Amino acid sequence: MKSRLSDEEYMQKALEYAQKAADEGEVPIGALVVDLAGDIIGVGYNQVEQKHTQTAHAEMQALREAAQNKGDWRLENCFLYVTLEPCTMCNGAARLSRLEAIIFGAQSNLFGCHLDRDSFVPLYTNDTPFFKGGVCEKECVDILKTFFKKRREQRERSKRT
């Protein structure tokens, strides 16, 4: 029987998708959905700019693919790994998917769902997934900082020309 990887190993795989997003000029966020057996059944990376829709977050891409691969929108006994704390939209989709847990790397002080926890409608309170943050946090923060630093430098160069 196949054994599950560690949270850190799955997060490293999510970071590979975050790098793919960065390489394509997207905010570097990557996500995976892993089933109970340890198989990756859905992957995603941020594609908001490419797809011209705010719903093309990494988590939404991974959840959609996982549901298609599983043949069911209910992702019970599955785990979402994402490099940045999910926003309220992605948290809501994850909760509706009935995930077992959401494991993230870096906390989001701008859009993270922790900002809305007090005002979050208490739907599906019996199905609330377990949250775990800070997995490979430094790497997850670093890829974001590097991306935004490069973006600022590009803007400065374009202002000078």
PDB file of all heavy atoms in Angstrom, residues 76 95 98-100 121-130:
ATOM      1  N   GLU A  76     -14.838  14.382   0.307  1.00  0.00           N
ATOM      2  CA  GLU A  76     -14.659  13.873   1.660  1.00  0.00           C
ATOM      3  C   GLU A  76     -13.382  13.042   1.718  1.00  0.00           C
ATOM      4  O   GLU A  76     -13.008  12.393   0.746  1.00  0.00           O
ATOM      5  CB  GLU A  76     -15.873  13.036   2.063  1.00  0.00           C
ATOM      6  CG  GLU A  76     -17.132  13.882   2.135  1.00  0.00           C
ATOM      7  CD  GLU A  76     -18.416  13.076   2.152  1.00  0.00           C
ATOM      8  OE1 GLU A  76     -18.480  12.016   1.512  1.00  0.00           O
ATOM      9  OE2 GLU A  76     -19.362  13.538   2.802  1.00  0.00           O
ATOM     10  N   ARG A  95     -14.971  24.373   1.918  1.00  0.00           N
ATOM     11  CA  ARG A  95     -15.918  23.896   2.937  1.00  0.00           C
ATOM     12  C   ARG A  95     -17.090  23.171   2.292  1.00  0.00           C
ATOM     13  O   ARG A  95     -17.525  22.128   2.774  1.00  0.00           O
ATOM     14  CB  ARG A  95     -16.419  25.061   3.778  1.00  0.00           C
ATOM     15  CG  ARG A  95     -15.343  25.617   4.689  1.00  0.00           C
ATOM     16  CD  ARG A  95     -15.819  26.805   5.453  1.00  0.00           C
ATOM     17  NE  ARG A  95     -16.839  26.376   6.409  1.00  0.00           N
ATOM     18  CZ  ARG A  95     -17.144  27.032   7.498  1.00  0.00           C
ATOM     19  NH1 ARG A  95     -16.536  28.162   7.765  1.00  0.00           N
ATOM     20  NH2 ARG A  95     -18.069  26.592   8.315  1.00  0.00           N
ATOM     21  N   ARG A  98     -16.497  19.659   1.361  1.00  0.00           N
ATOM     22  CA  ARG A  98     -16.432  18.714   2.482  1.00  0.00           C
ATOM     23  C   ARG A  98     -15.045  18.099   2.666  1.00  0.00           C
ATOM     24  O   ARG A  98     -14.907  16.910   2.972  1.00  0.00           O
ATOM     25  CB  ARG A  98     -17.494  17.634   2.339  1.00  0.00           C
ATOM     26  CG  ARG A  98     -18.889  18.228   2.280  1.00  0.00           C
ATOM     27  CD  ARG A  98     -19.943  17.199   2.117  1.00  0.00           C
ATOM     28  NE  ARG A  98     -21.250  17.865   2.041  1.00  0.00           N
ATOM     29  CZ  ARG A  98     -22.344  17.255   1.668  1.00  0.00           C
ATOM     30  NH1 ARG A  98     -22.324  15.990   1.332  1.00  0.00           N
ATOM     31  NH2 ARG A  98     -23.482  17.919   1.626  1.00  0.00           N
ATOM     32  N   LEU A  99     -14.033  18.931   2.460  1.00  0.00           N
ATOM     33  CA  LEU A  99     -12.657  18.476   2.652  1.00  0.00           C
ATOM     34  C   LEU A  99     -12.409  18.117   4.109  1.00  0.00           C
ATOM     35  O   LEU A  99     -13.031  18.670   5.018  1.00  0.00           O
ATOM     36  CB  LEU A  99     -11.679  19.576   2.248  1.00  0.00           C
ATOM     37  CG  LEU A  99     -11.588  19.887   0.762  1.00  0.00           C
ATOM     38  CD1 LEU A  99     -10.827  21.177   0.553  1.00  0.00           C
ATOM     39  CD2 LEU A  99     -10.931  18.748   0.010  1.00  0.00           C
ATOM     40  N   GLU A 100     -11.475  17.243   4.303  1.00  0.00           N
ATOM     41  CA  GLU A 100     -11.050  16.852   5.643  1.00  0.00           C
ATOM     42  C   GLU A 100     -10.213  17.967   6.290  1.00  0.00           C
ATOM     43  O   GLU A 100     -10.347  18.243   7.469  1.00  0.00           O
ATOM     44  CB  GLU A 100     -10.218  15.568   5.548  1.00  0.00           C
ATOM     45  CG  GLU A 100      -9.864  14.940   6.854  1.00  0.00           C
ATOM     46  CD  GLU A 100     -11.033  14.210   7.496  1.00  0.00           C
ATOM     47  OE1 GLU A 100     -11.977  13.803   6.796  1.00  0.00           O
ATOM     48  OE2 GLU A 100     -10.994  14.052   8.722  1.00  0.00           O
ATOM     49  N   VAL A 121     -20.683  33.198   7.623  1.00  0.00           N
ATOM     50  CA  VAL A 121     -21.978  32.575   7.894  1.00  0.00           C
ATOM     51  C   VAL A 121     -21.733  31.149   8.365  1.00  0.00           C
ATOM     52  O   VAL A 121     -21.022  30.393   7.706  1.00  0.00           O
ATOM     53  CB  VAL A 121     -22.857  32.585   6.622  1.00  0.00           C
ATOM     54  CG1 VAL A 121     -24.192  31.919   6.881  1.00  0.00           C
ATOM     55  CG2 VAL A 121     -23.042  34.010   6.124  1.00  0.00           C
ATOM     56  N   PRO A 122     -22.303  30.774   9.497  1.00  0.00           N
ATOM     57  CA  PRO A 122     -22.003  29.457  10.053  1.00  0.00           C
ATOM     58  C   PRO A 122     -22.714  28.306   9.327  1.00  0.00           C
ATOM     59  O   PRO A 122     -23.462  27.541   9.926  1.00  0.00           O
ATOM     60  CB  PRO A 122     -22.472  29.591  11.506  1.00  0.00           C
ATOM     61  CG  PRO A 122     -23.576  30.587  11.451  1.00  0.00           C
ATOM     62  CD  PRO A 122     -23.191  31.552  10.361  1.00  0.00           C
ATOM     63  N   LEU A 123     -22.478  28.207   8.010  1.00  0.00           N
ATOM     64  CA  LEU A 123     -23.030  27.105   7.239  1.00  0.00           C
ATOM     65  C   LEU A 123     -22.177  25.859   7.435  1.00  0.00           C
ATOM     66  O   LEU A 123     -20.967  25.950   7.579  1.00  0.00           O
ATOM     67  CB  LEU A 123     -23.033  27.448   5.744  1.00  0.00           C
ATOM     68  CG  LEU A 123     -23.883  28.639   5.319  1.00  0.00           C
ATOM     69  CD1 LEU A 123     -23.649  28.924   3.847  1.00  0.00           C
ATOM     70  CD2 LEU A 123     -25.346  28.370   5.585  1.00  0.00           C
ATOM     71  N   TYR A 124     -22.784  24.729   7.399  1.00  0.00           N
ATOM     72  CA  TYR A 124     -22.072  23.454   7.427  1.00  0.00           C
ATOM     73  C   TYR A 124     -21.076  23.382   8.584  1.00  0.00           C
ATOM     74  O   TYR A 124     -19.950  22.934   8.421  1.00  0.00           O
ATOM     75  CB  TYR A 124     -21.354  23.215   6.094  1.00  0.00           C
ATOM     76  CG  TYR A 124     -22.273  23.328   4.910  1.00  0.00           C
ATOM     77  CD1 TYR A 124     -22.266  24.445   4.100  1.00  0.00           C
ATOM     78  CD2 TYR A 124     -23.179  22.315   4.623  1.00  0.00           C
ATOM     79  CE1 TYR A 124     -23.132  24.564   3.018  1.00  0.00           C
ATOM     80  CE2 TYR A 124     -24.044  22.427   3.553  1.00  0.00           C
ATOM     81  CZ  TYR A 124     -24.018  23.540   2.752  1.00  0.00           C
ATOM     82  OH  TYR A 124     -24.860  23.649   1.691  1.00  0.00           O
ATOM     83  N   THR A 125     -21.498  23.826   9.739  1.00  0.00           N
ATOM     84  CA  THR A 125     -20.574  23.858  10.874  1.00  0.00           C
ATOM     85  C   THR A 125     -20.103  22.467  11.266  1.00  0.00           C
ATOM     86  O   THR A 125     -19.024  22.318  11.821  1.00  0.00           O
ATOM     87  CB  THR A 125     -21.213  24.542  12.092  1.00  0.00           C
ATOM     88  OG1 THR A 125     -22.477  23.924  12.365  1.00  0.00           O
ATOM     89  CG2 THR A 125     -21.396  26.031  11.850  1.00  0.00           C
ATOM     90  N   ASN A 126     -20.884  21.447  10.955  1.00  0.00           N
ATOM     91  CA  ASN A 126     -20.449  20.078  11.267  1.00  0.00           C
ATOM     92  C   ASN A 126     -19.403  19.587  10.286  1.00  0.00           C
ATOM     93  O   ASN A 126     -18.730  18.604  10.535  1.00  0.00           O
ATOM     94  CB  ASN A 126     -21.643  19.117  11.257  1.00  0.00           C
ATOM     95  CG  ASN A 126     -22.589  19.401  12.392  1.00  0.00           C
ATOM     96  OD1 ASN A 126     -22.205  20.001  13.387  1.00  0.00           O
ATOM     97  ND2 ASN A 126     -23.832  18.988  12.246  1.00  0.00           N
ATOM     98  N   ASP A 127     -19.275  20.267   9.142  1.00  0.00           N
ATOM     99  CA  ASP A 127     -18.346  19.840   8.104  1.00  0.00           C
ATOM    100  C   ASP A 127     -17.148  20.772   7.981  1.00  0.00           C
ATOM    101  O   ASP A 127     -16.459  20.765   6.974  1.00  0.00           O
ATOM    102  CB  ASP A 127     -19.060  19.773   6.749  1.00  0.00           C
ATOM    103  CG  ASP A 127     -20.185  18.751   6.756  1.00  0.00           C
ATOM    104  OD1 ASP A 127     -19.991  17.666   7.310  1.00  0.00           O
ATOM    105  OD2 ASP A 127     -21.240  19.064   6.211  1.00  0.00           O
ATOM    106  N   THR A 128     -16.898  21.569   8.995  1.00  0.00           N
ATOM    107  CA  THR A 128     -15.794  22.510   8.927  1.00  0.00           C
ATOM    108  C   THR A 128     -14.479  21.753   8.894  1.00  0.00           C
ATOM    109  O   THR A 128     -14.203  20.939   9.779  1.00  0.00           O
ATOM    110  CB  THR A 128     -15.820  23.469  10.135  1.00  0.00           C
ATOM    111  OG1 THR A 128     -17.064  24.154  10.135  1.00  0.00           O
ATOM    112  CG2 THR A 128     -14.683  24.470  10.061  1.00  0.00           C
ATOM    113  N   PRO A 129     -13.651  22.001   7.878  1.00  0.00           N
ATOM    114  CA  PRO A 129     -12.374  21.276   7.789  1.00  0.00           C
ATOM    115  C   PRO A 129     -11.378  21.770   8.824  1.00  0.00           C
ATOM    116  O   PRO A 129     -11.459  22.895   9.312  1.00  0.00           O
ATOM    117  CB  PRO A 129     -11.886  21.599   6.371  1.00  0.00           C
ATOM    118  CG  PRO A 129     -12.542  22.884   6.015  1.00  0.00           C
ATOM    119  CD  PRO A 129     -13.856  22.896   6.747  1.00  0.00           C
ATOM    120  N   PHE A 130     -10.448  20.924   9.128  1.00  0.00           N
ATOM    121  CA  PHE A 130      -9.334  21.258  10.000  1.00  0.00           C
ATOM    122  C   PHE A 130      -8.404  22.200   9.234  1.00  0.00           C
ATOM    123  O   PHE A 130      -8.145  21.997   8.054  1.00  0.00           O
ATOM    124  CB  PHE A 130      -8.600  19.971  10.389  1.00  0.00           C
ATOM    125  CG  PHE A 130      -7.306  20.189  11.096  1.00  0.00           C
ATOM    126  CD1 PHE A 130      -7.284  20.580  12.424  1.00  0.00           C
ATOM    127  CD2 PHE A 130      -6.105  19.998  10.439  1.00  0.00           C
ATOM    128  CE1 PHE A 130      -6.080  20.783  13.086  1.00  0.00           C
ATOM    129  CE2 PHE A 130      -4.899  20.197  11.090  1.00  0.00           C
ATOM    130  CZ  PHE A 130      -4.892  20.586  12.411  1.00  0.00           C
TER     131      PHE A 130
END
